[in-house]
Structure formats: C-alpha cells, structure tokens
C-alpha cells in the first residue's frame, strides 16, 4: 500500500463559518482520533489530500505543525454532493504493526457462463482485518464459468498474506442471477391477450 506524507496544522476555530473559511483557502477541515487520545482538529491541504484519497485505504504520514509525526488512515470522507470537493475528513491514528478493521474493494475477472445472466455485487467492499502499514487496496475474484444460482462466499476469496476476514465466511459477496427480460416480455404478452379478451 502507498504511504503519503501530508503537512497538517492544528486548528482552534470550529463551526460552519470556520469550515467555510478553511475551504476557501483550498484546505480541508479534519479530525484525527484513536488509541484513546483526545481528538486533534486539523487543517489539511486540499489538493494533496484529494490526490492521496484516490488510493483506497491510503496510509497518511501526518506532519502536524512541524512538531509531531503520526500515521493515520481515512475513516470517513465527506464530499460536496454536487461539486465533489472535500468538505471534511476523519482520520484514525494507527501505528506500525497494529491490526485495523478496513474494507477492501472487490474486483472481478473472467466471464460468466454463456447465457442471459446478471452478476450482483452483494458486497462492493469486503470487511477485513489487516496490518496498518500493509492494507491491500483490493481483491480480485474470478467469475469465469459461473451461472445462475452460483455465488461467491467470503471464505472463497483468497486474501493477501496477513489479511483475515472481518465477516462470517458464509457471507455472500457475489451472486449470479438469471436475467428477467424474457420473462417480463412473456408476462406482458399474456396481459395484452387478457386485455383483448
């Protein structure tokens, strides 16, 4: 996983007005918490943070006021629903060697068996426990040859070394459904005949 260094400043102003002023300066208000310590309210550089967050489960090395260095992972990111800019970020303190609960994206490869099938992602992200400095970005699952009624369970997915499941192994992650288009057309045809009668 990638580690990104970001210079942050502590902040003492709170509320919507203060947050707006911070964002006007192309910065992002945030909170750093964890390990039983008091939350630290931060101002983070908007562009650098945006680039860092493009990598899922990125490890952020924070230089706070030039006085302390902390490792953190993003836990909650709020974006403007229309313009997409960052509004606020919650960061969780971590240390090297520590196990953390995170979610990793599930990617698929291969093609389903021939036929009109739909692949449903029951879980887009898989909850796992991983070492803070070795969090995988994603897992890849083969769906080659799967047909209607088939499913992929959490325990069927091969996880990177040092990563374990944080959900029940029998949790359905992916399932294959039969396409409903033909059936719907048939039902519509029966409805038309009834109407004519």
């Amino acid at each position: 996983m990638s580690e990104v260094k970001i210079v942050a400043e502590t902040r003492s102003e709170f509320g919507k007005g203060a947050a707006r002023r911070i964002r006007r300066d192309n910065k992002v208000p945030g909170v750093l918490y964890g390990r039983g310590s008091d939350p630290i309210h931060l101002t983070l550089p908007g562009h650098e943070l945006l680039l860092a967050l493009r990598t899922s489960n990125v490890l952020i090395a924070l230089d706070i006021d030039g006085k302390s260095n902390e490792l953190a992972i993003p836990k909650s990111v709020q974006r403007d629903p229309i313009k997409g800019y960052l509004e606020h970020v919650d960061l969780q303190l971590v240390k090297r060697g520590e196990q953390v609960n995170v979610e990793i994206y599930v990617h698929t490869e291969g093609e389903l068996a021939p036929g009109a099938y739909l692949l449903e992602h029951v879980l887009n992200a898989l909850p796992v426990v991983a070492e803070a400095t070795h969090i995988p970005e994603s897992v890849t699952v083969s769906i080659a040859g799967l047909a209607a009624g088939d499913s992929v369970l959490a325990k069927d997915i091969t996880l990177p070394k040092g990563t374990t499941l944080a959900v029940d192994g029998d949790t359905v992650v992916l399932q294959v459904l039969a396409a409903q288009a033909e059936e719907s057309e048939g039902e519509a045809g029966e409805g038309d005949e009834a109407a004519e009668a």
Side-chain angles (χ1 to χ4, degrees), residues 4 7 83 106 108 128 147 160:
V4 178
V7 176
K83 297 183 179 177
V106 177
T108 59
V128 298

Side-chain angles (χ1 to χ4, degrees), residues 67-68 71 77 89-90 98 116 123 133 143:
K67 298 175 184 176
S68 65
L71 287 178
V77 178
V89 63
D90 285 352
E98 178 183 3
L123 293 179
T133 56
I143 58 168

Side-chain angles (χ1 to χ4, degrees), residues 21-68:
R21 284 193 294 277
I22 290 170
R23 288 193 284 268
R24 257 199 310 268
D25 293 336
N26 194 27
K27 295 182 179 180
V28 180
V31 177
L32 176 66
Y33 64 90
R35 297 211 300 264
S37 59
D38 291 334
I40 302 171
H41 296 271
L42 301 172
T43 299
L44 303 132
H47 184 66
E48 288 89 335
L49 183 61
L50 186 64
L51 291 177
L53 293 176
R54 286 183 178 172
T55 302
S56 62
N57 294 317
V58 63
L59 185 65
I60 299 174
L62 289 169
D63 177 352
I64 303 172
D65 293 333
K67 298 175 184 176
S68 65

Side-chain angles (χ1 to χ4, degrees), residues 141-143 146 150-154 156-157 171-175:
V141 180
S142 174
I143 58 168
L146 296 182
D150 290 339
S151 59
V152 177
L153 305 179
D156 299 330
I157 297 174
T171 300
V172 176
V173 180
L174 302 166
Q175 62 184 5

Side-chain angles (χ1 to χ4, degrees), residues 73-152:
I73 56 173
K75 289 306 283 185
S76 173
V77 178
Q78 295 172 22
R79 297 176 186 268
D80 180 90
I82 297 170
K83 297 183 179 177
Y85 62 78
L86 296 173
E87 291 190 325
H88 189 274
V89 63
D90 285 352
L91 301 170
Q92 179 185 335
L93 274 169
V94 295
K95 59 183 177 182
R96 296 185 192 281
E98 178 183 3
Q99 298 289 308
V100 293
N101 286 287
V102 294
E103 292 187 341
I104 55 177
Y105 290 111
V106 177
H107 296 295
T108 59
E109 64 180 8
E111 294 184 10
L112 297 173
Y117 302 129
L118 298 173
L119 179 66
E120 180 185 11
H121 285 254
V122 179
L123 293 179
N124 286 317
L126 185 66
V128 298
V129 176
E131 199 267 307
T133 56
H134 293 90
I135 300 172
E137 289 182 26
S138 62
V139 287
T140 301
V141 180
S142 174
I143 58 168
L146 296 182
D150 290 339
S151 59
V152 177

